[in-house]
Amino acid sequence: MKTVLTALAALLFSASAQAGSVSFADNPIVYFAVTDRFANGNPGNDHSYGRAADPQGGDVGTFHGGDIAGITQQLKAGYFKELGVNALWITAPYEQIHGWVVGGKQQFQHYAYHGYWALDYTTMDANMGTREELREMIDLAHAQGIRVLFDVVLNHPGYADLRTLAEYKVPVLWPGHEKAVLRDYHSFIDYNNFAFAQWWGPDWVRAGLPGYSDGGQDDYTMQLAYLPDFRTESGQAVGLPPILQRKSDTRAVALPDATVRTYLVHWLADWVREFGVDGFRADTVKHVEPASWLALRAAATDALKDWKARHPRQKIDDAPFWMTGEAWGHGPERSSWHDAGFDSMINFDFQHRAGGDWKSIDGVYRQYAGLLNKGPAPRYDILSYISSHDTSLFPRGQLRHGLSALLLAPGGVQLFYGDESARQPGAAPIGDEQQATRSSMNWSSMDAATLAHARKLGQFRLRHPALARGEHRLIDEQPYAFARVTDGDAVIAVPEAQGAITLKVHGVFADGALLRDAYTNQTCLVNNGAVALNAAGTVLLEKAAP
């Protein structure tokens, strides 16, 4: 069955001649996989650093076993190619804190499976795999025309967890800490101990601990969720943080006259220089000053250019480094963050509007297309989604509607793992309900109809930059039909249509043009400004390949 689907995907992709060469920045179609929850390619690394099952809170906050090798397996199977995505956003693969902290209302052990609690930016987290496995995965993605984006954090490292403090001999723990449970966890940490200076150190972070400054009152200097806040704005030269000075396997070395920002930028750009990482999804953007993002963008751009010069056979093209950013609540409008190194910003607006009827969604499409194509302001982009690890999952019973709304939307789009297969939510502990969005991928219970629908839409979108960047035109209200048109590309979509229909195409396709419905693979001729066809749930019209 998989061979048949791959052949079908290749056939559909071959119809791309009418769209010509399209740059990734014109039409980003990003698949976001929480690596630990996606696919387990190497069970041997599941319990690295002594990470274990949670005897009290179930598996909601533990490592589930997904890794870079699992992503490689799915690349080899053609899974992403069949979906039509052209970029993979993966959670940060660099080393995270080793232990757990108290999750929710003392309900579960919360490990750093999501990649947001860094310990060492220079080394691979053993749960994610090896550097060799990462290189293989990125090279294979590139061979399929798929870019790889890292999730990165400049705002904060990870919490001071019991296991990491013990392993690296930061002498702030009380005897018996090895037996700590959820209800008494913090009683084993001496939060009044000035020996905390041997952790990241007060020159590196604000932490509200003895010898450290407290978090500030503004977005840039506050401690987000009580996390230590990197002093990225500081002009003070620093050495390596004390905890890395004692970490024998770190690749970090002291840099002359380097600030906190210099180190973080250098460490992150090194992944680009070594592996050819194509872009970053930046976390907590509004909590880091723009100068740091601009520095990261500049360093990563130089690093990718260098990697491509050294790996001409492994690169996809000569496109520059690409960045999208998460500033909580950002909508579809252009903002100052687009001038701070970001090609696009994640659009929090769309998820709340994608569940409406097609009349209301047409208003959203019209708004977005108008904003994104408005001149003479500098061009910008957004990245819309219907499900997210930080918000909620789109209603599972409406996924086909949601996928249509998303994959036909103007601007860049982000598909969250499992939306295409109807992955069900996990447990939602009180105080941290977002954990429900991060259940393990449902490989053994995929919804075949939803998956087939997503594949057809994704392949169609990949061929047509007009969907992302075209002028939006309403064709009909019942059934709802629209056109999206650019100078070099044009499409018409009817997201919900069934049975025999006649569709007006005048002004989009000329009389005598041979068109193809990419959803059913049937062809039709334009006659008197219209086409007649038999719809099977959705119509995706494009010029038929010659």
Side-chain angles (χ1 to χ4, degrees):
M1 182 65 173
K2 188 168 288 182
T3 302
V4 172
L5 289 170
T6 305
L8 175 59
L11 174 64
L12 293 177
F13 189 72
S14 71
S16 63
Q18 72 270 23
S21 178
V22 180
S23 73
F24 168 73
D26 283 333
N27 188 22
I29 310 167
V30 180
Y31 188 96
F32 172 28
V34 176
T35 308
D36 173 69
R37 305 301 171 90
F38 187 65
N40 191 349
N42 180 11
N45 62 27
D46 289 0
H47 301 292
S48 303
Y49 315 112
R51 292 165 178 162
D54 179 357
Q56 293 176 262
D59 68 353
V60 63
T62 64
F63 279 81
H64 287 197
D67 47 30
I68 295 298
I71 292 177
T72 299
Q73 285 181 350
Q74 294 307 314
L75 280 163
K76 290 178 177 177
Y79 186 77
F80 305 108
K81 194 75 171 176
E82 289 166 8
L83 278 171
V85 300
N86 54 16
L88 291 177
W89 157 14
I90 63 170
T91 47
Y94 45 76
E95 190 173 352
Q96 303 293 301
I97 61 172
H98 292 178
W100 54 273
V101 296
V102 178
K105 304 291 186 181
Q106 294 190 341
Q107 293 164 290
F108 65 96
Q109 296 178 1
H110 194 169
Y111 286 87
Y113 68 87
H114 39 61
Y116 292 129
W117 299 340
L119 169 64
D120 189 342
Y121 284 84
T122 72
T123 53
M124 282 285 289
D125 192 280
N127 266 81
M128 295 298 100
T130 66
R131 298 177 87 88
E132 291 72 25
E133 287 171 330
L134 179 64
R135 196 182 322 277
E136 178 188 12
M137 185 273 283
I138 293 176
D139 286 349
L140 183 55
H142 285 170
Q144 297 182 16
I146 297 172
R147 285 165 167 77
V148 175
L149 317 175
F150 275 15
D151 211 334
V152 299
V153 186
L154 277 184
N155 177 248
H156 56 263
Y159 292 106
D161 70 287
L162 287 172
R163 180 179 291 274
T164 305
L165 290 171
E167 286 183 2
Y168 295 101
K169 297 180 170 50
V170 181
V172 296
L173 303 181
W174 297 112
H177 60 82
E178 302 89 348
K179 298 180 181 179
V181 294
L182 290 167
R183 70 176 181 275
D184 62 10
Y185 186 95
H186 291 289
S187 67
F188 287 101
I189 303 175
D190 181 3
Y191 288 109
N192 296 312
N193 197 325
F194 279 84
F196 260 110
Q198 298 177 42
W199 182 47
W200 278 89
D203 291 340
W204 271 81
V205 299
R206 284 172 280 264
L209 294 166
Y212 290 74
S213 60
D214 293 332
Q217 300 299 310
D218 59 86
D219 279 341
Y220 295 157
T221 62
M222 67 179 288
Q223 284 184 246
L224 186 66
Y226 303 103
L227 285 156
D229 182 68
F230 278 132
R231 299 182 63 181
T232 48
E233 83 293 343
S234 173
Q236 176 185 347
V238 296
L240 287 178
I243 195 166
L244 292 189
Q245 293 179 27
R246 297 194 301 280
K247 189 171 182 290
S248 61
D249 63 342
T250 188
R251 299 167 70 95
V253 296
L255 302 174
D257 301 317
T259 64
V260 171
R261 178 192 298 168
T262 305
Y263 275 104
L264 292 172
V265 166
H266 176 78
W267 292 339
L268 290 171
D270 269 356
W271 293 98
V272 181
R273 193 176 306 277
E274 180 175 350
F275 296 98
V277 177
D278 301 279
F280 290 154
R281 178 270 186 186
D283 187 62
T284 55
V285 162
K286 70 179 181 180
H287 295 290
V288 178
E289 64 285 345
S292 288
W293 295 123
L294 285 166
L296 179 62
R297 172 59 181 260
T301 297
D302 288 345
L304 184 59
K305 184 177 180 181
D306 175 60
W307 181 86
K308 288 184 176 183
R310 292 181 288 109
H311 299 85
R313 295 184 178 180
Q314 284 79 35
K315 68 180 182 180
I316 297 174
D317 52 30
D318 290 318
F321 194 79
W322 186 87
M323 277 178 38
T324 189
E326 177 262 323
W328 190 264
H330 198 290
E333 297 83 7
R334 195 179 192 282
S335 76
S336 60
W337 292 114
H338 288 97
D339 298 316
F342 294 100
D343 299 273
S344 88
M345 294 297 292
I346 291 175
N347 174 26
F348 286 75
D349 175 72
F350 189 73
Q351 182 180 35
H352 307 294
R353 303 173 75 181
D357 60 25
W358 287 108
K359 182 176 181 180
S360 67
I361 291 173
D362 185 75
V364 177
Y365 287 173
R366 187 174 301 277
Q367 176 196 7
Y368 288 7
L371 286 169
L372 294 168
N373 297 317
K374 182 174 64 176
R379 186 167 177 168
Y380 77 102
D381 204 2
I382 55 177
L383 196 65
S384 299
Y385 63 88
I386 58 170
S387 293
S388 161
H389 67 312
D390 279 337
T391 57
S392 61
L393 296 181
F394 197 79
R396 303 289 91 176
Q398 302 173 36
L399 271 173
R400 292 184 69 175
H401 172 87
L403 287 165
S404 294
L406 175 67
L407 293 173
L408 297 173
V413 296
Q414 171 236 299
L415 186 64
F416 191 42
Y417 79 106
D419 271 0
E420 76 279 10
S421 59
R423 173 177 60 90
Q424 296 301 302
I430 297 172
D432 195 354
E433 290 81 1
Q434 284 73 31
Q435 295 296 331
T437 68
R438 309 167 190 174
S439 55
S440 287
M441 183 66 174
N442 58 324
W443 295 111
S444 63
S445 59
M446 304 180 88
D447 185 307
T450 302
L451 182 59
H453 182 67
R455 284 171 168 165
K456 290 175 181 178
L457 286 163
Q459 287 285 344
F460 185 69
R461 185 179 186 91
L462 183 63
R463 294 194 296 276
H464 294 292
L467 281 168
R469 284 292 177 179
E471 174 195 353
H472 180 78
R473 303 178 189 174
L474 176 64
I475 298 292
D476 210 334
E477 293 184 352
Q478 191 61 40
Y480 171 62
F482 70 86
R484 208 74 55 72
V485 181
T486 62
D487 288 343
D489 188 28
V491 296
I492 291 177
V494 191
E496 292 181 1
Q498 197 71 46
I501 64 170
T502 299
L503 191 62
K504 296 176 289 186
V505 300
H506 178 70
V508 181
F509 299 114
D511 275 5
L514 180 65
L515 306 184
R516 172 177 174 270
D517 174 18
Y519 204 81
T520 61
N521 204 29
Q522 62 185 301
T523 57
C524 52
L525 278 171
V526 180
N527 184 27
N528 292 326
V531 294
L533 44 81
N534 192 45
T538 300
V539 173
L540 303 173
L541 277 185
E542 62 189 1
K543 282 187 177 179

